[in-house]
Amino acid sequence: MPPSPVSQDDLVRLRRTLHAEPEVGLDLPDTQRALLRELEGLPLEIVPGRRCSSITAVLRATDRAAADVPAVLLRADMDALPVSEPAGEEFASRRAGAMHACGHDLHMTMLVGAARMLCERRAELAGDVVLMFQPGEEGWGGASIMIEEGVLDAAGPRVSAAFGMHVMTGDRRPARFGFRHGTAMAGASALTATIRGCGGHGSAPHLASDPVTTAAETVLALQSAVTREFDVLDPVVVTVGSLHAGTKRNIIPDDARFEATVRCFSPEARDRAAEILPALTAGVAAAHRQRAEVEYVHEFPPLVNDDAETRAALAAAETLFDPAAIEVLPRPKTASEDFAEVLERVPGTFVFVDATPAAGSEYNHSPRAVYDEAVLADGARLYAEFALHRLRMLREPSPAAES
Ligand SMILES: [Zn+2]
């Protein structure tokens, strides 16, 4: 193998630069500028996003002998969280109310490192690589916007496989890289309901139509539905986290309103919840001669890893790392992630990287979350190796590997 064109020191420098100037949401002009500077001079076809500050960069294989040159996609998210970082580290956030508390600064750094490695090893590429730098992962729909703007077809033909990684801290694993077959992260949907009754005097509920008792009954009916309507081995969680009605104890209000989050681990459960839970909410209100206005929004699909792609990623990792650094995770994570939007459209896999420092840390999203920078070089190598390995497989499909 040729010497690596990226040094750990260089990756740490870039990570700290990005960490100090975090931006939240879909519009991340400074982050985009910093990345473009890092990619300058590399033989990439770069397309900035139109509706967000994404970067799509295509590295073309030099070997274009095949009729259809395949392509794979590597993704890193770019956005920070609306969290204030306590002072301490010399590279701590210089922006009040913004912090890379979820480690997306590490993802960008690893993908820049991979871009440099792949450019250096361009002659070995058996196809094209699409680098997807995505803003707005934290509930802003950034992946969907990039998909609408064509990231999956940026190389020409649709990418055959997609690969992403996420650093985790504060939940130490025995191995650095965690792979997972099947569902790896939960899907999330939001149910918002307004129960329309008819207000009146608290002493004479028969002259009114009380939405408060209906709302209370609905909250419990939703919990019953979770246990009666869904397979216990394909679990669903419903939590009513917000419930509001009325102004004073002796006044029956006109309306009651609640919001619930719904988590699930399969597309089937996601679709079934979308059918059952709004109907139940409307039905309880109707039973009391009231009306429920229900809004049901899918926020994140469950993130489902493709088996063959996960095996391919494992095989790539095994060429780089000691077996002790690799683990197959027995259970999914309950958090959500919008790379799931990509994996709904193309097969791929999402890998967890344990970046808990030796001294420990609070979990991702905490203002005190800290990440071990020692993962940067290995993360960059894994991104690059996945692309090299997977494209080689696409060029010379082996029946065993593709089964
Ligand atoms: Zn994240």
Side-chain angles (χ1 to χ4, degrees):
M1 199 191 288
S4 165
V6 301
S7 74
Q8 170 71 8
D9 288 352
D10 199 38
L11 294 178
V12 168
R13 173 201 54 80
L14 171 56
R15 185 264 164 157
R16 293 183 178 189
T17 304
L18 294 168
H19 189 89
E21 305 289 348
E23 295 172 292
V24 176
L26 291 166
D27 187 26
L28 321 175
D30 297 342
T31 308
Q32 187 191 44
R33 205 171 309 119
L35 290 174
L36 288 172
R37 208 167 34 235
E38 296 293 327
L39 299 173
E40 217 172 81
L42 296 177
L44 300 168
E45 295 167 19
I46 289 180
V47 181
R50 292 187 297 277
R51 284 161 53 209
C52 62
S53 35
S54 63
I55 300 171
T56 301
V58 180
L59 174 61
R60 300 281 177 194
T62 44
D63 171 10
R64 310 201 73 75
D68 297 308
V69 179
V72 297
L73 180 145
L74 307 176
R75 179 269 207 172
D77 44 11
M78 298 163 62
D79 55 324
L81 284 161
V83 166
S84 288
E85 182 170 7
E89 303 281 14
E90 106 255 4
F91 57 90
S93 170
R94 288 199 280 265
R95 298 181 179 196
M99 175 189 174
H100 271 297
C102 199
H104 299 184
D105 49 338
L106 285 91
H107 305 162
M108 290 184 273
T109 303
M110 296 189 300
L111 193 54
V112 166
R116 292 185 185 144
M117 288 177 196
L118 289 168
C119 288
E120 187 83 5
R121 297 175 65 183
R122 192 176 178 192
E124 291 173 56
L125 279 174
D128 300 337
V129 184
V130 176
L131 307 172
M132 174 183 182
F133 289 96
Q134 181 214 306
E137 189 284 323
E138 299 283 357
W140 301 83
S144 298
I145 293 174
M146 287 193 76
I147 291 167
E148 283 163 28
E149 293 191 347
V151 69
L152 302 180
D153 306 307
R158 174 142 297 200
V159 294
S160 302
F163 178 80
M165 282 194 269
H166 206 300
V167 292
M168 308 301 297
T169 190
D171 182 21
R172 192 185 298 284
R173 302 291 316 171
R176 176 134 274 169
F177 293 99
F179 296 77
R180 162 98 193 147
H181 294 282
T183 300
M185 299 184 82
S189 305
L191 183 155
T192 305
T194 305
I195 315 286
R196 302 276 184 209
C198 184
H201 200 291
S203 67
H206 62 294
L207 300 177
S209 181
D210 187 356
V212 175
T213 47
T214 305
E217 195 175 320
T218 309
V219 171
L220 296 178
L222 289 169
Q223 298 308 317
S224 296
V226 164
T227 70
R228 302 298 90 184
E229 297 276 11
F230 296 93
D231 185 340
V232 70
L233 298 177
D234 184 8
V236 169
V237 173
V238 177
T239 293
V240 177
S242 163
L243 175 62
H244 293 278
T247 53
K248 200 160 189 292
R249 65 183 171 279
N250 61 350
I251 305 169
I252 294 172
D254 274 340
D255 309 318
R257 184 184 153 85
F258 66 84
E259 291 177 28
T261 185
V262 180
R263 303 293 166 115
C264 57
F265 294 88
S266 73
E268 295 73 28
R270 187 246 330 244
D271 294 345
R272 190 164 166 78
E275 192 186 313
I276 286 176
L277 304 179
L280 179 75
T281 304
V284 174
H288 295 290
R289 293 179 290 122
Q290 295 169 4
R291 193 162 49 82
E293 290 163 11
V294 186
E295 200 189 318
Y296 199 87
V297 178
H298 290 305
E299 298 175 303
F300 296 92
L303 186 145
V304 184
N305 285 337
D306 180 83
D307 262 338
E309 298 303 335
T310 306
R311 281 199 301 276
L314 268 164
E318 281 159 5
T319 65
L320 297 176
F321 311 121
D322 189 273
I326 298 169
E327 165 185 41
V328 175
L329 299 171
R331 295 199 298 185
K333 296 194 181 289
T334 51
S336 299
E337 159 66 55
D338 81 352
F339 187 58
E341 298 283 355
V342 172
L343 295 188
E344 279 210 321
R345 291 162 179 84
V346 294
T349 198
F350 196 61
V351 173
F352 301 103
V353 184
D354 181 6
T356 309
S361 169
E362 290 187 16
Y363 197 52
N364 291 46
H365 287 207
S366 162
R368 288 164 299 279
V370 285
Y371 294 85
D372 184 359
E373 291 169 330
V375 304
L376 292 171
D378 283 349
R381 289 168 71 208
L382 183 56
Y383 266 127
E385 192 57 37
F386 178 82
L388 288 158
H389 176 87
R390 192 67 190 85
L391 287 167
R392 227 163 15 234
M393 279 171 68
L394 285 161
R395 192 58 81 80
E396 309 143 10
S398 96
E402 294 280 22
S403 67

